[in-house]
Amino acid sequence: DYTKFVPGSTVGYKRDGSMVGQFYLRDVKRAGKYMYDFTCISAIGILGDTMHYGGIYTGQTVAEVAPEILEGLPYEIDPIVGDIKLYGWLPIETKRNNLQQITIATAIAVRTKPDGTLLLTALSNDIKGNIGAGRMAIGGNVAVETPYSAVQVSEHYYQEIAEEIVLFSESSVRTEFLKFTEPVHDLTVTGGTLIEWGANYAIVECNGFTEVKA
């Protein structure tokens, strides 16, 4: 009975009795009397479906920040990278994208073990193999594009300023989720109650005309 398959449950893929990979069920369709079509995604795919609130990081370690992003998934952190400190701003984004930003900034590799466990470890400069000219081929359509001559990398620095900014000013009698495009600090609310907030967001219970400033 295909109705017993629950989206999100783990699906193991084996070949010749050996585990090739562990995935997560997205959906299942019945294609025939005894045939079913399964659509599965990896743990990284799961991260692409969920959001991370981000924030300003001032020296928190990879081991401290990883649970924010990898919560609910099996993961391991190689001790060689667990103490790396993180600095800077992460926006409200998918957990996958913010994890990518962390790996770029720290040169950490994210690998998936056969049992589905995500492993945060160091990049290796070992040569894994050589691909000779006899193993290379080009088939189908090939588009030749103008090559890049340079790459520009920008670094942003955020600092507290004394200027007061109005972030929200409306009449509302409901709970509002406010998302900020840049980090803010020292929120004040008039005409409402601040339920929860971070550098990138605020949840405010409004009681009429409500104003949120930073």
Side-chain angles (χ1 to χ4, degrees):
D1 185 356
Y2 74 96
T3 59
K4 294 181 179 179
F5 297 106
V6 180
S9 57
T10 57
V11 178
Y13 170 48
K14 293 183 178 180
R15 184 173 183 179
D16 297 330
S18 298
M19 180 66 74
V20 175
Q22 190 96 325
F23 302 92
Y24 296 87
L25 182 64
R26 169 148 286 181
D27 59 57
V28 57
K29 297 179 181 178
R30 189 167 188 170
K33 186 175 182 180
Y34 301 109
M35 294 182 63
Y36 299 89
D37 289 335
F38 292 88
T39 301
C40 300
I41 57 175
S42 65
I44 294 295
I46 293 288
L47 295 179
D49 290 340
T50 51
M51 301 300 293
H52 179 237
Y53 283 160
I56 292 286
Y57 295 90
T58 56
Q60 293 89 335
T61 65
V62 169
E64 292 172 331
V65 177
E68 300 177 11
I69 297 177
L70 303 177
E71 179 184 7
L73 294 173
Y75 69 92
E76 296 177 9
I77 301 176
D78 191 328
I80 200 172
V81 303
D83 291 333
I84 295 177
K85 295 182 179 180
L86 303 176
Y87 296 92
W89 174 61
L90 287 177
I92 294 181
E93 253 294 355
T94 65
K95 291 183 176 180
R96 177 176 184 167
N97 286 349
N98 276 354
L99 178 62
Q100 182 185 57
Q101 293 300 314
I102 291 174
T103 59
I104 292 172
T106 58
I108 289 177
V110 181
R111 307 190 186 283
T112 304
K113 300 171 68 174
D115 65 356
T117 300
L118 292 177
L119 173 64
L120 274 60
T121 187
L123 286 171
S124 173
N125 59 2
D126 295 340
I127 297 176
K128 302 300 183 182
N130 293 311
I131 301 175
R135 297 175 56 194
M136 301 175 63
I138 297 177
N141 296 324
V142 178
V144 179
E145 299 179 351
T146 303
Y148 291 101
S149 59
V151 175
Q152 180 176 332
V153 179
S154 299
E155 180 175 328
H156 300 276
Y157 174 72
Y158 292 92
Q159 181 177 346
E160 293 184 5
I161 61 175
E163 179 184 355
E164 188 176 70
I165 301 173
V166 177
L167 301 169
F168 179 83
S169 181
E170 290 185 17
S171 292
S172 178
V173 289
R174 64 180 184 179
T175 301
E176 299 280 357
F177 178 84
L178 309 180
K179 178 181 175 181
F180 311 133
T181 57
E182 292 185 339
V184 302
H185 65 94
D186 296 333
L187 290 185
T188 59
V189 178
T190 56
T193 303
L194 187 61
I195 299 175
E196 181 182 335
W197 76 284
N200 295 327
Y201 73 99
I203 301 176
V204 180
E205 184 179 343
C206 301
N207 301 318
F209 181 78
T210 305
E211 193 169 62
V212 181
K213 297 179 180 180

